[in-house]
Amino acid sequence: MSMKRLVIFDYDGTIADSRGSIAHCANLALEAVGRPQVPATMVQALIGLPLRDIFGRLLDDGGDDEILDGAVAAYRSRYADVDRAHSRLYEQMPELLADLKRAGTMLAIATGKSTEGAHRGISRHGLDATLFDLVLGSDAVPRPKPYPDMVLVILDDLGVHPDDATVVGDTTFDIEMGVSADVDACGVTWGSHGHDQLRHAGAKWIVQTRDELRRLLLQE
């Protein structure tokens, strides 16, 4: 592919290895509302969706509003400390982001976190916030992942045609979001979903290493 004007990145599982933090914190939240903990893999398979949707799927009965609100509040009250202790940026990702920016590529984040939570994560992980032309969370649109709304807002705000953009993410939710917005999507296999899942969701490219992603995006 030729270099794109804009690359839209997912955050958790793509830029940052926060899967363990999210799973641990989700189980603490379930415990706080009197519900049993679940295997970490169940939580990790849902990363990318808004928190309320994640808890709705984790609870056998879907949970009522009080339970869901309580779980989300308990999660948010604990997450910063858990994330600070257990998550990290994937190796080579800060350098890739900086090199893309130097090459003139616009960068955006579309995440299942809240927009405020995404900005806090960027700061907590020591990323340069000025790398990103736009950071958008699930609270910024009527329909978050896997719907196309976040990508459509980013394209509109930055004045970029879908043909000039790429979505990069580790889950089918990311890929479906991009494909639904008529934007080519690249799946990365170091996160939550595997090669076959990403391909089935419509990924145009699938990479297994950051070196492969670098060559694809920078056309090295």
Side-chain angles (χ1 to χ4, degrees):
M1 78 173 194
S2 58
M3 280 191 66
K4 302 288 188 174
R5 289 183 60 208
L6 168 66
V7 181
I8 302 169
F9 285 93
D10 168 57
Y11 194 76
D12 296 304
T14 301
I15 292 175
D17 185 2
S18 46
R19 293 168 299 158
S21 298
I22 292 170
H24 180 58
C25 202
N27 272 318
L28 292 177
L30 289 172
E31 195 172 59
V33 295
R35 295 302 183 93
Q37 296 195 0
V38 299
T41 52
M42 283 185 63
V43 181
Q44 291 169 359
L46 300 173
I47 292 174
L49 296 176
L51 274 178
R52 192 179 179 87
D53 291 354
I54 289 176
F55 285 114
R57 295 192 186 197
L58 292 177
L59 294 166
D60 287 340
D61 58 4
D64 58 24
D65 285 343
E66 183 178 358
I67 291 290
L68 291 174
D69 289 345
V72 169
Y75 179 98
R76 287 178 172 159
S77 70
R78 293 163 170 78
Y79 185 73
D81 289 338
V82 172
D83 188 56
R84 191 176 293 110
H86 297 289
S87 73
R88 61 180 179 84
L89 295 173
Y90 285 109
E91 291 181 3
Q92 303 177 34
M93 285 306 296
E95 294 82 4
L96 173 58
L97 293 169
D99 288 345
L100 283 166
K101 195 68 174 178
R102 275 192 290 270
T105 304
M106 288 185 282
L107 304 177
I109 287 178
T111 175
K113 295 180 182 294
S114 68
T115 303
E116 182 181 351
H119 282 291
R120 285 198 301 264
I122 290 167
S123 174
R124 191 160 54 242
H125 291 130
L127 276 176
D128 179 1
T130 64
L131 289 171
F132 302 104
D133 296 271
L134 188 59
V135 175
L136 216 60
S138 61
D139 59 325
V141 294
R143 301 180 306 166
K145 299 177 188 180
Y147 294 99
D149 298 30
M150 278 196 281
V151 171
L152 295 175
V153 168
I154 291 169
L155 294 174
D156 185 61
D157 281 5
L158 298 180
V160 176
H161 189 275
D163 289 346
D164 291 326
T166 301
V167 168
V168 178
D170 69 302
T171 71
T172 58
F173 312 125
D174 303 313
I175 305 305
E176 290 166 3
M177 174 183 67
V179 170
S180 297
D182 293 324
V183 172
D184 290 336
C186 173
V188 303
T189 61
W190 53 78
S192 294
H193 292 173
H195 183 284
D196 290 346
Q197 291 171 288
L198 297 169
R199 179 67 70 194
H200 183 72
K204 185 171 183 177
W205 308 279
I206 299 175
V207 298
Q208 299 184 57
T209 68
R210 263 79 75 191
D211 284 334
E212 287 182 78
L213 182 61
R214 180 184 185 86
R215 288 194 294 271
L216 178 71
L217 297 180
L218 284 166
Q219 288 296 285
E220 292 183 341

